[in-house]
Amino acid sequence: MSLQEFFAMGGYAFYVWTAYGICFVVLLANIILPIIQRKRLLRHLALKQKRHNL
Amino acid sequence: MFLIPDPVGRFFHRMASPPHFYALTEKLMPWLVGIFLILLACGLYGGLYLAPPDYQQGDSYRIIYIHVPSAWMSLFIYIVMAVTGAIGLVWRIKLAEIVAISSASVGASFTFIALVTGSLWGKPMWGTWWVWDARLTSELVLLFLYLGVIGLYNAIDDKRTASKAVAILALVGVVNIPIIHYSVEWWSTLHQGPTVTKMDKPSIHVTMLVPLLLMAVAFKFYYVIAMLQRARLELLQRERTANWVKKLLTEPTP
């Protein structure tokens, strides 16, 4: 099977790759967003504690 | 309340303590991600490349490898959410409340993926994006239940109260779970019947089945990873004034 054939998915390329693409984006967002938010919260709390100690 | 004298009780008590949970999940994370990525790679390779095209549906059936595990996860996570919600409701264990609400967003995502990928599969196979039949409608109701849980939790400022309200909503919604599962048997529907859970006469070839099961296990690991990440954030938000968080801030963390 050539690479071109693989990506063509027997003519169903649009449906198959859109499905996998949406799945990938949604699942990635579910991991990345809480990590970003937690890092931001930690920075915020650290800053507040520093100010408090001054 | 009664004391916890036995070692098993002590173990659970220690596990449920927020600082211990926060540190443990950090240590576990690389292992969970590693196992998940290996399973995912094997599942995708088997499903997209090794498995032959379906004799009726051609290559379009390959959507099965994300559609079916997502649909399974949407039900599984709902049950986890309802059970941990009930535990939080009865024993007031903070960590159970946090696991319950952290599961909601992951569950909603899997429900959304199941619906969208199903739609993308239905268009070329059934000729329509959507039909209001029992399976599709009950899965849509599941999405609304998840969104209701998230919305209700965010609407109540006191998070202990919010967790109580959310647990009750989640428990009431459990009635939808058997409806979704048996919908393809109880009502005539466009959605195909179960292929995998007919153990006596499986209607799926082993080269197609193995990648599907690999993806199902991979998604289980994904759920644990995503839920724990959400739980760590939720825990910090709730415990922001606790001593262990203050100590965490003074230590340089990666």
Side-chain angles (χ1 to χ4, degrees):
Chain A
M1 184 163 62
S2 74
L3 209 62
Q4 218 161 9
E5 258 171 13
F6 174 74
F7 283 114
M9 276 291 148
Y12 294 109
F14 168 75
Y15 301 104
V16 173
W17 297 122
T18 310
Y20 276 83
I22 290 171
C23 182
F24 179 76
V25 170
V26 171
L27 292 191
L28 196 67
N30 261 298
I31 302 260
I32 303 281
L33 291 181
I35 294 178
I36 292 174
Q37 280 172 285
R38 185 167 50 82
K39 294 264 147 91
R40 198 181 294 159
L41 179 66
L42 279 173
R43 269 204 307 275
H44 171 76
L45 291 177
L47 207 71
K48 235 169 80 175
Q49 185 163 304
K50 225 191 226 162
R51 259 192 234 130
H52 183 77
N53 290 343
L54 279 178
Chain B
M1 279 303 286
F2 51 88
L3 291 166
I4 309 161
D6 60 303
V8 179
R10 265 207 303 275
F11 172 75
F12 278 107
H13 189 72
R14 210 166 84 88
M15 287 296 293
S17 95
H20 186 258
F21 175 84
Y22 193 83
L24 182 75
T25 48
E26 188 161 313
K27 263 184 243 144
L28 280 178
M29 202 48 71
W31 296 96
L32 291 169
V33 173
I35 296 169
F36 163 67
L37 288 177
I38 292 167
L39 287 167
L40 183 73
C42 296
L44 287 178
Y45 181 67
L48 291 174
Y49 188 79
L50 289 184
D54 185 70
Y55 79 107
Q56 275 180 329
Q57 306 193 355
D59 282 316
S60 77
Y61 94 94
R62 292 183 198 280
I63 292 174
I64 201 178
Y65 296 113
I66 46 177
H67 174 73
V68 170
S70 298
W72 283 344
M73 288 311 292
S74 71
L75 302 182
F76 174 80
I77 295 173
Y78 194 92
I79 293 168
V80 173
M81 182 175 78
V83 169
T84 51
I87 291 171
L89 201 59
V90 175
W91 287 290
R92 312 300 296 140
I93 299 171
K94 201 180 278 177
L95 207 59
E97 297 174 356
I98 286 173
V99 169
I101 192 61
S102 303
S103 297
S105 47
V106 189
S109 303
F110 274 123
T111 313
F112 173 78
I113 291 169
L115 287 166
V116 169
T117 56
S119 198
L120 280 159
W121 194 3
K123 183 62 185 164
M125 289 304 112
W126 302 341
T128 176
W129 297 103
W130 185 262
V131 281
W132 290 102
D133 84 341
R135 175 52 72 82
L136 281 70
T137 309
S138 55
E139 184 75 10
L140 186 64
V141 169
L142 185 69
L143 180 63
F144 292 149
L145 277 170
Y146 275 124
L147 296 180
V149 162
I150 296 167
L152 186 61
Y153 187 77
N154 290 332
I156 301 172
D157 281 332
D158 178 53
K159 292 311 174 196
R160 301 303 309 253
T161 314
S163 289
K164 268 195 221 173
V166 155
I168 292 164
L169 174 60
L171 284 168
V172 171
V174 166
V175 69
N176 192 34
I177 299 297
I179 295 178
I180 298 174
H181 184 74
Y182 292 110
S183 56
V184 285
E185 289 165 31
W186 290 346
W187 295 282
S188 70
T189 161
L190 259 186
H191 195 285
Q192 64 194 57
T195 25
V196 180
T197 48
K198 290 187 298 184
M199 284 309 171
D200 48 330
K201 211 179 72 185
S203 45
I204 181 168
H205 193 261
V206 67
T207 52
M208 294 176 173
L209 180 63
V210 169
L212 185 61
L213 296 180
L214 281 172
M215 290 299 283
V217 181
F219 275 23
K220 283 262 176 0
F221 273 89
Y222 170 86
Y223 158 64
V224 174
I225 295 165
M227 182 272 286
L228 288 180
Q229 289 295 358
R230 180 62 63 187
R232 283 161 66 78
L233 169 66
E234 193 64 38
L235 197 63
L236 270 186
Q237 276 169 344
R238 282 199 191 193
E239 301 263 293
R240 53 171 73 205
T241 53
N243 272 328
W244 70 271
V245 175
K246 286 190 182 130
K247 224 156 70 188
L248 192 79
L249 294 171
T250 48
E251 295 163 6
T253 37

Tab-separated table of all heavy atoms in Angstrom, chain B residues 20 38 45 82 95 127 133-134 136 139 153 161 166 168 185 228 242 246:
chain	number	residue	atom	x	y	z
B	20	HIS	N	-0.683	14.192	49.769
B	20	HIS	CA	-0.201	12.896	49.307
B	20	HIS	C	-0.674	12.622	47.884
B	20	HIS	O	0.087	12.167	47.035
B	20	HIS	CB	-0.678	11.798	50.254
B	20	HIS	CG	-0.107	10.456	49.939
B	20	HIS	ND1	-0.833	9.493	49.275
B	20	HIS	CD2	1.118	9.934	50.148
B	20	HIS	CE1	-0.075	8.431	49.098
B	20	HIS	NE2	1.111	8.671	49.620
B	38	ILE	N	2.163	4.067	24.123
B	38	ILE	CA	2.477	2.774	23.495
B	38	ILE	C	1.199	2.092	23.002
B	38	ILE	O	1.112	1.649	21.853
B	38	ILE	CB	3.240	1.861	24.483
B	38	ILE	CG1	4.634	2.428	24.759
B	38	ILE	CG2	3.347	0.437	23.940
B	38	ILE	CD1	5.344	1.792	25.933
B	45	TYR	N	-1.796	1.843	14.635
B	45	TYR	CA	-1.100	1.099	13.570
B	45	TYR	C	-1.946	-0.099	13.135
B	45	TYR	O	-2.150	-0.329	11.947
B	45	TYR	CB	0.275	0.644	14.073
B	45	TYR	CG	1.081	-0.103	13.056
B	45	TYR	CD1	1.552	0.531	11.913
B	45	TYR	CD2	1.366	-1.459	13.234
B	45	TYR	CE1	2.287	-0.158	10.967
B	45	TYR	CE2	2.102	-2.163	12.286
B	45	TYR	CZ	2.567	-1.502	11.156
B	45	TYR	OH	3.291	-2.197	10.216
B	82	ALA	N	-20.790	9.108	38.940
B	82	ALA	CA	-21.927	8.915	39.841
B	82	ALA	C	-21.498	8.205	41.126
B	82	ALA	O	-21.921	8.580	42.228
B	82	ALA	CB	-23.025	8.112	39.135
B	95	LEU	N	-11.619	14.171	48.268
B	95	LEU	CA	-10.991	13.666	47.053
B	95	LEU	C	-12.006	12.986	46.122
B	95	LEU	O	-11.892	13.078	44.896
B	95	LEU	CB	-9.877	12.677	47.419
B	95	LEU	CG	-8.768	12.568	46.396
B	95	LEU	CD1	-8.096	13.908	46.162
B	95	LEU	CD2	-7.753	11.541	46.826
B	127	GLY	N	-26.247	7.849	4.775
B	127	GLY	CA	-26.685	8.949	3.936
B	127	GLY	C	-27.218	10.130	4.718
B	127	GLY	O	-27.813	11.034	4.153
B	133	ASP	N	-33.040	8.759	16.513
B	133	ASP	CA	-33.408	7.426	16.983
B	133	ASP	C	-32.932	7.240	18.422
B	133	ASP	O	-32.308	8.125	19.005
B	133	ASP	CB	-32.882	6.343	16.034
B	133	ASP	CG	-31.442	5.974	16.314
B	133	ASP	OD1	-30.753	6.771	16.977
B	133	ASP	OD2	-31.009	4.910	15.879
B	134	ALA	N	-33.243	6.070	18.991
B	134	ALA	CA	-33.041	5.876	20.430
B	134	ALA	C	-31.574	5.999	20.836
B	134	ALA	O	-31.240	6.681	21.802
B	134	ALA	CB	-33.598	4.515	20.844
B	136	LEU	N	-28.904	7.437	19.304
B	136	LEU	CA	-28.300	8.760	19.127
B	136	LEU	C	-28.897	9.772	20.094
B	136	LEU	O	-28.180	10.583	20.687
B	136	LEU	CB	-28.480	9.248	17.671
B	136	LEU	CG	-27.511	8.649	16.643
B	136	LEU	CD1	-27.786	7.185	16.392
B	136	LEU	CD2	-27.567	9.424	15.335
B	139	GLU	N	-27.696	9.216	23.702
B	139	GLU	CA	-26.293	9.646	23.845
B	139	GLU	C	-26.218	11.172	23.902
B	139	GLU	O	-25.402	11.728	24.643
B	139	GLU	CB	-25.456	9.102	22.684
B	139	GLU	CG	-23.959	9.385	22.765
B	139	GLU	CD	-23.194	8.513	23.779
B	139	GLU	OE1	-23.780	7.543	24.295
B	139	GLU	OE2	-22.013	8.815	24.043
B	153	TYR	N	-22.035	22.855	38.817
B	153	TYR	CA	-20.866	22.973	39.695
B	153	TYR	C	-20.293	24.388	39.647
B	153	TYR	O	-19.932	24.965	40.673
B	153	TYR	CB	-19.797	21.957	39.260
B	153	TYR	CG	-18.621	21.884	40.190
B	153	TYR	CD1	-18.720	21.204	41.399
B	153	TYR	CD2	-17.412	22.481	39.871
B	153	TYR	CE1	-17.645	21.124	42.271
B	153	TYR	CE2	-16.329	22.406	40.729
B	153	TYR	CZ	-16.450	21.726	41.929
B	153	TYR	OH	-15.385	21.657	42.787
B	161	THR	N	-20.836	22.462	48.752
B	161	THR	CA	-22.262	22.438	48.395
B	161	THR	C	-22.437	22.052	46.930
B	161	THR	O	-23.305	21.240	46.585
B	161	THR	CB	-22.884	23.821	48.639
B	161	THR	OG1	-22.459	24.297	49.903
B	161	THR	CG2	-24.395	23.761	48.589
B	166	VAL	N	-24.162	18.381	42.524
B	166	VAL	CA	-23.716	17.686	41.322
B	166	VAL	C	-23.874	16.168	41.476
B	166	VAL	O	-24.295	15.480	40.541
B	166	VAL	CB	-22.240	18.069	41.050
B	166	VAL	CG1	-21.529	17.024	40.268
B	166	VAL	CG2	-22.179	19.416	40.350
B	168	ILE	N	-26.049	14.555	43.266
B	168	ILE	CA	-27.464	14.176	43.161
B	168	ILE	C	-27.905	14.177	41.701
B	168	ILE	O	-28.543	13.229	41.227
B	168	ILE	CB	-28.334	15.117	44.024
B	168	ILE	CG1	-28.031	14.882	45.508
B	168	ILE	CG2	-29.817	14.891	43.750
B	168	ILE	CD1	-28.504	15.973	46.424
B	185	GLU	N	-31.278	-2.679	21.163
B	185	GLU	CA	-32.057	-3.922	21.217
B	185	GLU	C	-33.533	-3.632	21.462
B	185	GLU	O	-34.412	-4.350	20.979
B	185	GLU	CB	-31.509	-4.829	22.334
B	185	GLU	CG	-30.155	-5.420	21.979
B	185	GLU	CD	-29.437	-6.018	23.175
B	185	GLU	OE1	-30.122	-6.515	24.098
B	185	GLU	OE2	-28.185	-5.975	23.197
B	228	LEU	N	-6.812	13.105	36.226
B	228	LEU	CA	-5.872	13.478	37.286
B	228	LEU	C	-5.344	14.900	37.085
B	228	LEU	O	-5.160	15.638	38.054
B	228	LEU	CB	-4.714	12.479	37.354
B	228	LEU	CG	-5.052	11.101	37.925
B	228	LEU	CD1	-3.821	10.207	37.935
B	228	LEU	CD2	-5.638	11.200	39.323
B	242	ALA	N	-4.307	26.220	52.254
B	242	ALA	CA	-3.809	25.170	53.150
B	242	ALA	C	-2.288	25.242	53.285
B	242	ALA	O	-1.600	25.768	52.415
B	242	ALA	CB	-4.221	23.800	52.619
B	246	LYS	N	1.161	26.175	50.718
B	246	LYS	CA	2.139	27.224	51.031
B	246	LYS	C	3.554	26.666	50.981
B	246	LYS	O	4.475	27.300	50.477
B	246	LYS	CB	1.858	27.807	52.423
B	246	LYS	CG	0.640	28.710	52.418
B	246	LYS	CD	0.500	29.475	53.705
B	246	LYS	CE	-0.756	30.340	53.692
B	246	LYS	NZ	-1.573	30.152	54.884
